[in-house]
Amino acid sequence: MSTVSNLKAVLGSFFHTPVYGGFELLERTLIELDDDGVIERITRPDDAAYAEHVAAARTAGEREPGSFMELAPDTYMLPGFVDLHVHAPQWPQAGVALDEPLNVWLDQRTFPLEARFADPEFAYTVGADLARTFLSRGTTTVLYFASAHLEGSYAVSRACAEAGQRAIVGKVVMDDPAANHDFYRDATPEQALVDTEEFLTRVETLDAQSRAADPRFAGAYAAVTPRFIPSCTDEALAGLGQIAAAHDAYIQSHCNEGQWEHGVAIERFGKTDAEALASFGLLGPKSIMAHCTFMNDGDTALFAETGTVVAHCPISNAYFANSACPVRRMHEAGVRIGMGTDISGGFSPSMYDDIRQAVMTSRMLEEGVDALVPQERRGAGRPSRISAPEALYLATKGGAEGLGLATGSFEVGRAFDAQAIDTRRPYADLTGFGVFDEPGDKLARILYLATPDNIRQVWCQGKLVIER
Ligand SMILES: [Zn+2]
């Protein structure tokens, strides 16, 4: 949609998490944007120039309709979410066959579905619907796995760019004939590398052309994307590490997801999954690794040293990871962490659902789950819980910092990516009925209870992309 592109100033109340651990409410605050949709100035009511800046923004709004917006008293802005792990071709499968074992889920459902991205038109249709769905749930930045097809993957990049969503997309590499179906894999390692380079170049061009046409274009990026170690040859893994280094490109893959993947790397290389990825040049500050549930202390230290980012996918983990991700332990060890929906290992396109599951899973990890085990041995044996504001940080600024992109919070110099939450909807009242009026209570009710109906408008890079 992308209709309004001249928004210059917003007056209202904003919740965000500029640092991990707490939250901040900017009440009746004026946020002003530059021509590129980046936050240029923030004026709070206790600022001496507040009245003057608000009056100037209002006057400008009368001259130039659409440039000034004032939020209703019960509406709060949250930053747009950053989703660090999604499989675009799996969107039609969300919620399907989750009772099957992983190998059945993949072989009978997922791979035949992903193979349909051989048709770029189908890929565009699915990608466009998914991008719009994410935007409607408040997610403005997404790191996507597309498929093993060059054209189908590029169709996803185009669909996101046209929907007004900031997207980092990867053409998936899965080239090992012994590990993949003939109907869905790269023809050879060489072809996988050629296609990856071609994909990077095309997305760079898409980005440059789109920015030239629109100063508020949110950005199109490409990621080098080995599906995971078990589906790739050594030759492809090494080549992808070299391509990523040469292009200074993002890298994404899966790491230490479940018991099986964990075991495969040890059997093949005598190393953990994390160590094997590092040996191919695939860990680093622009590497985002999904799941990371089976992390020993050495793996955790390796991630912290290399600056590698974890994409925590708590809903998906409940189905396929055979364990709970030790988010708090990794955070305390200095690992960078964001959050992902993992469509469709995770069924929900809403980061609200993953924020809730991240909190619940962390509590279960700390306390344990089997009442037949004595209490002193039931849990992880160390503090493991995270709070809802901590999960919000992972879903916003944590993900943005992981990608090195200036978004995820309401601070000067960051893109204005925001969702307006109306807490007074007829069937989704989040107000607290005048009883729970403290900022922490208000934010908790939004995080735990917000429905799509509460998300009335969404902006990406200062452009209106959703209006209900
Ligand atoms: Zn995944």
Side-chain angles (χ1 to χ4, degrees):
M1 146 169 177
S2 309
T3 49
V4 175
S5 59
N6 67 333
L7 183 69
K8 300 275 175 53
V10 186
L11 178 62
S13 295
F14 303 80
F15 277 114
H16 69 157
T17 52
V19 294
Y20 183 83
F23 70 90
E24 183 177 48
L25 172 60
L26 304 170
E27 265 186 302
R28 305 309 299 162
T29 292
L30 183 72
I31 291 188
E32 291 171 271
L33 317 185
D34 69 12
D35 292 340
D36 299 337
V38 172
I39 297 172
E40 191 171 45
R41 185 165 67 179
I42 298 176
T43 313
R44 299 173 72 155
D46 58 2
D47 190 307
Y50 180 75
E52 182 198 330
H53 291 174
V54 171
R58 270 191 215 284
T59 307
E62 284 158 18
R63 265 200 325 268
E64 193 189 341
S67 72
F68 175 73
M69 174 172 64
E70 184 166 359
L71 300 180
D74 290 317
T75 295
Y76 295 84
M77 287 278 202
L78 262 63
F81 292 131
V82 178
D83 188 334
L84 289 188
H85 189 55
V86 170
H87 295 268
Q90 295 176 19
W91 174 225
Q93 193 189 351
V96 173
L98 288 168
D99 294 328
E100 301 286 0
L102 180 59
N103 61 324
V104 175
W105 186 83
L106 284 170
D107 289 335
Q108 293 182 11
R109 310 289 187 131
T110 310
F111 292 140
L113 172 61
E114 290 200 13
R116 293 203 47 192
F117 267 42
D119 173 6
E121 250 178 70
F122 182 71
Y124 185 90
T125 302
V126 172
D129 187 72
L130 181 55
R132 284 194 302 268
T133 301
F134 278 136
L135 288 169
S136 77
R137 310 300 171 98
T139 301
T140 45
T141 302
V142 180
L143 175 57
Y144 290 97
F145 278 57
S147 71
H149 315 95
L150 174 61
E151 296 298 336
S153 298
Y154 185 67
V156 173
S157 290
R158 257 193 322 117
C160 295
E162 284 164 21
Q165 181 177 59
R166 184 178 299 99
I168 305 100
V169 178
K171 175 237 160 314
V172 177
V173 170
M174 39 197 295
D175 69 310
D176 188 346
N180 298 290
H181 296 282
D182 288 340
F183 67 80
Y184 182 49
R185 64 174 168 83
D186 296 285
T188 61
E190 298 77 32
Q191 191 62 49
L193 299 178
V194 167
D195 284 355
T196 295
E197 293 233 57
E198 167 75 12
F199 181 72
L200 294 182
T201 307
R202 279 214 216 169
V203 175
E204 276 166 27
T205 305
L206 173 69
D207 185 66
Q209 287 174 347
S210 304
R211 283 179 199 274
D214 178 0
R216 291 193 171 185
F217 180 67
Y221 306 85
V224 166
T225 308
R227 183 170 202 114
F228 61 167
I229 284 212
S231 62
C232 297
T233 60
D234 290 9
E235 189 183 347
L237 291 166
L240 291 175
Q242 287 163 5
I243 289 172
H247 288 257
D248 187 27
Y250 289 108
I251 299 169
Q252 61 177 340
S253 192
H254 301 83
C255 179
N256 283 334
E257 176 173 2
Q259 195 74 50
W260 173 77
E261 184 186 353
H262 178 66
V264 165
I266 289 171
E267 204 169 295
R268 177 164 153 195
F269 301 109
K271 293 175 184 172
T272 66
D273 214 22
E275 290 164 345
L277 286 162
S279 72
F280 289 112
L282 295 169
L283 297 189
K286 292 186 83 169
S287 296
I288 296 91
M289 293 293 147
H291 306 303
C292 304
T293 50
F294 282 70
M295 298 282 280
N296 65 28
D297 288 344
D299 294 337
T300 304
L302 184 57
F303 267 54
E305 271 163 34
T306 55
T308 303
V309 181
V310 170
H312 174 42
C313 308
I315 293 179
S316 171
N317 290 168
Y319 289 90
F320 295 123
N322 316 112
S323 64
C325 182
V327 173
R328 182 160 167 172
R329 173 157 63 90
M330 289 195 286
H331 173 75
E332 287 170 356
V335 176
R336 305 160 72 206
I337 308 171
M339 212 180 304
T341 56
D342 192 18
I343 294 292
S344 67
F347 55 81
S348 172
S350 169
M351 291 289 274
Y352 285 99
D353 287 333
D354 274 284
I355 286 170
R356 296 158 193 164
Q357 186 66 48
V359 173
M360 292 188 282
T361 296
S362 74
R363 304 278 289 249
M364 292 164 94
L365 178 61
E366 181 170 304
E367 299 279 349
V369 293
D370 185 352
L372 294 180
V373 176
Q375 190 177 16
E376 62 276 14
R377 288 196 286 115
R378 199 180 301 144
R382 61 179 172 272
S384 300
R385 66 179 60 192
I386 63 170
S387 68
E390 286 167 348
L392 175 63
Y393 176 91
L394 300 181
T396 53
K397 194 170 177 186
E401 295 285 271
L403 293 169
L405 295 175
T407 175
S409 63
F410 299 114
E411 295 174 273
V412 170
R414 291 188 176 256
F416 186 74
D417 296 347
Q419 44 181 320
I421 310 298
D422 180 357
T423 60
R424 203 178 271 284
R425 296 297 300 161
Y427 303 104
D429 192 302
L430 309 177
T431 57
F433 302 94
V435 181
F436 295 101
D437 274 345
E438 291 301 315
D441 299 332
K442 285 182 189 293
L443 178 61
R445 285 180 59 80
I446 290 170
L447 294 179
Y448 281 113
L449 296 169
T451 68
D453 186 52
N454 295 108
I455 308 169
R456 303 308 294 175
Q457 292 172 315
V458 179
W459 288 265
C460 185
Q461 197 80 32
K463 286 169 69 170
L464 184 67
V465 286
I466 293 291
E467 183 159 39
R468 283 193 171 85

